[in-house]
Amino acid sequence: MITYDYPLFRPPAEADNIIIQVTLGCSYNNCSFCYMYKTKKYQQRSLKEIYKDIDSLSAIYPYSHKIFLADGDALALPTATLVQILQYLQKSFVKLRRVSTYASAQNLLEKSKQDLELLETNKLNLIYYGIETGNDVILKKITKGVSQSEIIKSLNKVPIGMKVSATVILGIAGVKYTKEHISDTAKIINSTRVNYLSTLQLGLEDDAKDNFYKHFNDFTPLDDSEILDEQKRFLELLSPSNKIIFRSNHASNALHLSGTLPKDTIKLIEQLDMVISIGSDALIPNIFRGF
């Protein structure tokens, strides 16, 4: 069995799938709200180490059909290296259907359209992408390292056969910028193609708070009712060009919603209206939430 380099993170949807660490840490690692890889220095693992892990896991789980490439951004690897890993995975897991990884705007912008198409051809067909916000002021305050136009450009480079699971963080703009946060984030969704969309609620781990407030010194957090208002305004502004599976069932959310957009948009807004009218009694208690 392999030994992982901790901490190890993966999306909730990958809980039952094989995880292969092809990089350690995050090549950017400057987002002020994120604590995930602050204890790690970014490294690209050698093919020898990666192949050894694949051999160990395929011997135990030979028929696994979904694999997640960790850590923070496997797409930072050279395309040729990723193709070698993907082809070795296909040889080792004979029923492999899907390989997924986290991806950033920086990763995608550094790849050519041909690079991404080659990766998709080799079964890298799902990426998890943190949009967080579409507002340029907030993107600077959370030190995301990209602009709205770069986020749109990066998402529009993704091949049709590579699905995108995107996340947006409610409350990340605070009270002062909530209107701009929602309108500009909706613009990104309406200008690109995402297949899955999740909304989370901002939660700052102790290790991230000082850094977050240092860059965002006029931040005032939203309460639950204001978060629900953000959620409602966001849904009202969405007019996607394709079907989107929508979820707000992350552990951070005060209210869990699910549906398909745009088909269920009105139903979701009606659910929000009902909960807003009831108040806090309809929400998940803080003790059961976590970012």
Side-chain angles (χ1 to χ4, degrees), residues 165-179:
S165 180
T167 54
V168 167
I169 302 180
L170 301 175
I172 199 164
V175 172
K176 185 175 179 179
Y177 303 98
T178 177
K179 182 178 178 181

Side-chain angles (χ1 to χ4, degrees), residues 49 62 133 135 193 217 220 253 256 264:
E49 292 174 313
T133 181
N135 180 260
R193 176 192 59 82
N217 55 18
T220 303
N253 291 109
H256 288 184
D264 296 326

Side-chain angles (χ1 to χ4, degrees), residues 215-280:
H215 294 281
F216 202 155
N217 55 18
D218 55 347
F219 180 82
T220 303
L222 275 62
D223 62 26
D224 282 339
S225 64
E226 292 167 322
I227 291 285
L228 294 179
D229 180 65
E230 277 200 340
Q231 181 78 278
K232 180 182 176 182
R233 286 185 283 120
F234 185 49
L235 289 168
E236 288 173 338
L237 289 172
L238 292 182
S239 55
S241 59
N242 60 289
K243 181 180 77 172
I244 297 177
I245 306 300
F246 173 78
R247 298 286 185 269
S248 68
N249 57 0
H250 186 265
S252 62
N253 291 109
L255 176 67
H256 288 184
L257 297 169
S258 63
T260 301
L261 307 177
K263 179 175 69 73
D264 296 326
T265 301
I266 293 175
K267 182 188 76 173
L268 292 167
I269 292 171
E270 289 173 348
Q271 290 177 1
L272 278 161
D273 282 333
M274 181 182 68
V275 171
I276 290 170
S277 68
I278 294 171
S280 60

